[in-house]
Amino acid sequence: MEVVDAVSVPVNGKVEIADFDVMAMVEPESLPPIVAAENGDKENGRDIVLGRNVHTTCLEVTEPEANDEFTGDKEAYMASVLARYRKNLMERTKYHLGYPYNLDFDYGALAQLQHFSINNLGDPFIESNYGVHSRQFEVGVLDWFARLWEIEKNEYWGYITNCGTEGNLHGILVGREVFPEGVLYASRESHYSIFKAARMYRMDCVKVNCLISGEIDCADFKVKLLSNKDKPAIINVNIGTTVKGAVDDLDLVIQTLEESGFTQDRFYIHCDGALFGLMMPFVKRAPKVTFKKPIGSVSVSGHKFVGCPMPCGVQITRMEHINVLSSNVEYLASRDATIMGSRNGHAPIFLWYTLNRKGYKGFQKEVQKCLRNAHYLKDRLRDAGISAMLNELSSTVVFERPLDEEFVRRWQLACQGNIAHVVVMPSVTIEKLDEFLNELVEKRSTWYQDGKVQPPCIAADLGSRNCACALHN
């Protein structure tokens, strides 16, 4: 795409170039990344490549001119900025593969509600004096998830969060409040928000090793439990890890706790199901995440598999636990038991709308499509001689990191060390995967054509059977 100088708009009777974010409107490969090596940030010996510094290209907020309400110059300028931004969003959406967002949704029917400041502040089950809320939608959504995870209405408490991280922060907080002296255990491949929670709440945190799949290593978990057997255990169980999409074996985690002498009154389990927590119930032969097992809470993201224009999530815990950290607030005429005070009241409506339109059968169909397409991508990568892995219960395809960071940014791939991944969501079609694969194979032939650089060996990341390097091919 050609780099442009924005658009010409009249200002004070003169035509000038509008000074807005040109960089956001151009292809990302034209912009240099930031390398964080100077901060000592490395991943497996590789410098961590950060995104560009947006402050150098931000959209400045300027004061309207005195006569602007007559000339309309400012309105014209802002309209041109938004039109170009929309065009950029459409372009970037075409090349999105690395992050778990379902971009296939249409909420046009809800546009009529955007004129209202809908705020679900406080407890979703107790009305506040603020009347512009959507609690009736929120509780309907929560009841749907309670049925999915098999807990009765009178036994659960939950709320719609601003994102998956908030769900994790809440789940770990509940565990900490139930067991103030508890030790937090999380696998090394857990989402960064789990370790953020440990820092925020000043908790002792023990990182547990992982299997090559990314799943928690319960042998190592047992060793670390026994070294802290005098303290209660708070455990984060991953229902799909961030990079490899690995699902921790919940039953084995519970068995390991029991074998280590931890009775159910001495442990709390939070299940981080950000993406796959909503997919796994619709996968045949997949183990169940259910409150019929001794778990304390489950959280998922709403903007990932469901698809939503704003980040959101769902957090469900047991009613018996929530009383530990809740308090009544007269100012709200409600109860404070959430992480945030004001909460987006539009998000529950978006989730309610999609759950009603698709239902269990609709989600099951989409899950099957994602898993099918993920296997297609993995097979084509391996056929092209590219190292790749796909966990059994996942739609996250992990493969060797592309050599060219411009290619990484073009396809918005998520990378860690020598590996990258594509998360196959309902919006990812076979046609998009073919376009990506064809471009990757073509580019790759130029990256390694002179023989001076070889494709990386990623046996340490994916296992030797999934590595296609010269040593393991």
Side-chain angles (χ1 to χ4, degrees):
M1 182 184 293
E2 182 182 355
V3 179
V4 296
D5 288 341
V7 296
S8 298
V9 295
V11 178
N12 292 335
K14 295 184 288 187
V15 175
E16 296 182 0
I17 299 298
D19 181 18
F20 68 91
D21 188 3
V22 176
M23 191 186 66
M25 312 302 170
V26 300
E27 292 293 344
E29 51 264 35
S30 65
L31 304 160
I34 299 170
V35 178
E38 60 267 24
N39 297 325
D41 294 330
K42 289 181 177 290
E43 180 73 34
N44 296 332
R46 172 197 287 266
D47 292 336
I48 294 179
V49 180
L50 304 180
R52 55 185 172 79
N53 184 353
V54 179
H55 217 150
T56 61
T57 54
C58 67
L59 289 161
E60 184 181 2
V61 176
T62 59
E63 289 297 310
E65 297 294 333
N67 62 345
D68 188 66
E69 62 178 289
F70 301 106
T71 65
D73 292 345
K74 193 64 175 284
E75 289 293 330
Y77 160 71
M78 292 190 294
S80 68
V81 170
L82 293 174
R84 193 172 292 272
Y85 176 60
R86 182 178 184 276
K87 183 179 180 181
N88 176 68
L89 290 178
M90 293 173 65
E91 180 68 16
R92 298 310 296 134
T93 298
K94 291 179 185 177
Y95 298 97
H96 173 269
L97 286 177
Y99 294 88
Y101 306 138
N102 180 8
L103 304 181
D104 184 16
F105 53 79
D106 181 3
Y107 291 107
L110 304 184
Q112 59 185 315
L113 304 178
Q114 298 307 300
H115 300 288
F116 301 97
S117 179
I118 309 176
N119 190 332
N120 287 3
L121 54 123
D123 190 307
F125 299 92
I126 302 174
E127 280 199 10
S128 163
N129 285 337
Y130 183 71
V132 188
H133 63 80
S134 62
R135 280 178 172 80
Q136 62 272 50
F137 294 92
E138 182 172 17
V139 174
V141 170
L142 294 173
D143 283 348
W144 189 91
F145 279 94
R147 290 194 299 273
L148 187 70
W149 295 322
E150 299 182 316
I151 185 168
E152 296 298 322
K153 288 183 180 182
N154 63 340
E155 294 179 355
Y156 89 88
W157 184 91
Y159 75 106
I160 292 180
T161 62
N162 290 300
C163 60
T165 288
E166 186 181 348
N168 286 338
L169 291 177
H170 193 275
I172 300 302
L173 178 61
V174 174
R176 202 282 307 269
E177 293 298 292
V178 172
F179 296 118
E181 302 301 319
V183 175
L184 175 61
Y185 297 87
S187 81
R188 294 184 180 278
E189 297 207 15
S190 297
H191 190 260
Y192 64 85
S193 62
I194 300 299
F195 306 110
K196 178 191 290 188
R199 293 194 303 273
M200 289 175 65
Y201 306 145
R202 298 292 190 266
M203 299 172 70
D204 291 335
C205 181
V206 175
K207 291 186 178 181
V208 182
N209 293 335
C210 295
L211 305 177
I212 199 71
S213 64
E215 180 184 336
I216 191 171
D217 181 349
C218 281
D220 185 56
F221 179 41
K222 187 172 187 178
V223 170
K224 289 170 177 172
L225 278 173
L226 292 174
S227 66
N228 295 286
K229 59 183 179 181
D230 58 324
K231 293 185 177 181
I234 301 166
I235 309 97
N236 176 70
V237 170
N238 295 303
I239 313 301
T241 56
T242 309
V243 176
K244 296 181 181 178
V247 176
D248 292 341
D249 188 332
L250 175 59
D251 293 331
L252 186 56
V253 167
I254 295 170
Q255 179 184 326
T256 302
L257 284 160
E258 293 171 344
E259 290 175 353
S260 303
F262 286 79
T263 52
Q264 291 186 16
D265 61 349
R266 293 190 64 239
F267 68 78
Y268 179 97
I269 296 174
H270 170 68
C271 297
D272 175 11
L275 169 62
F276 214 63
L278 183 51
M279 297 176 68
M280 202 164 77
F282 304 106
V283 178
K284 294 179 180 177
R285 298 182 301 278
K288 294 187 75 171
V289 174
T290 168
F291 279 91
K292 291 183 178 180
K293 299 176 182 179
I295 63 175
S297 53
V298 185
S299 64
V300 296
S301 296
H303 58 288
K304 292 181 179 175
F305 189 74
V306 175
C308 191
M310 72 277 291
C312 58
V314 174
Q315 160 73 351
I316 299 282
T317 187
R318 295 182 186 274
M319 180 69 79
E320 65 190 84
H321 296 324
I322 202 62
N323 293 326
V324 178
L325 59 76
S326 63
S327 60
N328 296 329
V329 180
E330 183 177 7
Y331 169 77
L332 300 178
S334 186
R335 182 171 57 178
D336 175 31
T338 60
I339 295 289
M340 300 299 174
S342 290
R343 296 186 297 106
N344 187 339
H346 290 275
I349 304 172
F350 282 86
L351 295 178
W352 176 88
Y353 185 80
T354 296
L355 295 180
N356 271 288
R357 289 190 69 187
K358 294 184 178 180
Y360 290 108
K361 289 185 178 179
F363 283 118
Q364 184 176 41
K365 185 177 179 181
E366 290 194 337
V367 168
Q368 292 170 351
K369 171 191 170 185
C370 290
L371 296 179
R372 241 185 354 259
N373 289 354
H375 279 278
Y376 172 82
L377 173 59
K378 186 261 296 181
D379 291 342
R380 279 213 54 190
L381 285 166
R382 295 306 303 270
D383 290 344
I386 300 173
S387 302
M389 179 185 80
L390 174 63
N391 274 310
E392 181 182 4
L393 298 173
S394 179
S395 64
T396 300
V397 181
V398 190
F399 57 100
E400 69 180 50
R401 181 177 186 150
L403 188 63
D404 187 357
E405 290 300 322
E406 291 183 1
F407 180 86
V408 168
R409 291 194 299 277
R410 170 174 164 78
W411 286 96
Q412 302 166 63
L413 301 178
C415 302
Q416 180 175 286
N418 288 322
I419 57 177
H421 74 205
V422 164
V423 184
V424 180
M425 301 298 288
S427 55
V428 176
T429 63
I430 290 290
E431 291 74 22
K432 180 178 283 192
L433 292 176
D434 282 339
E435 183 180 358
F436 165 74
L437 283 159
N438 293 338
E439 187 174 326
L440 175 60
V441 170
E442 180 184 354
K443 294 279 188 181
R444 195 170 179 271
S445 65
T446 63
W447 298 336
Y448 304 116
Q449 65 181 351
D450 58 9
K452 293 180 180 178
V453 180
Q454 295 293 324
C457 173
I458 54 177
D461 299 292
L462 307 184
S464 57
R465 68 187 182 92
N466 296 310
C467 184
C469 74
L471 180 64
H472 295 102
N473 191 359

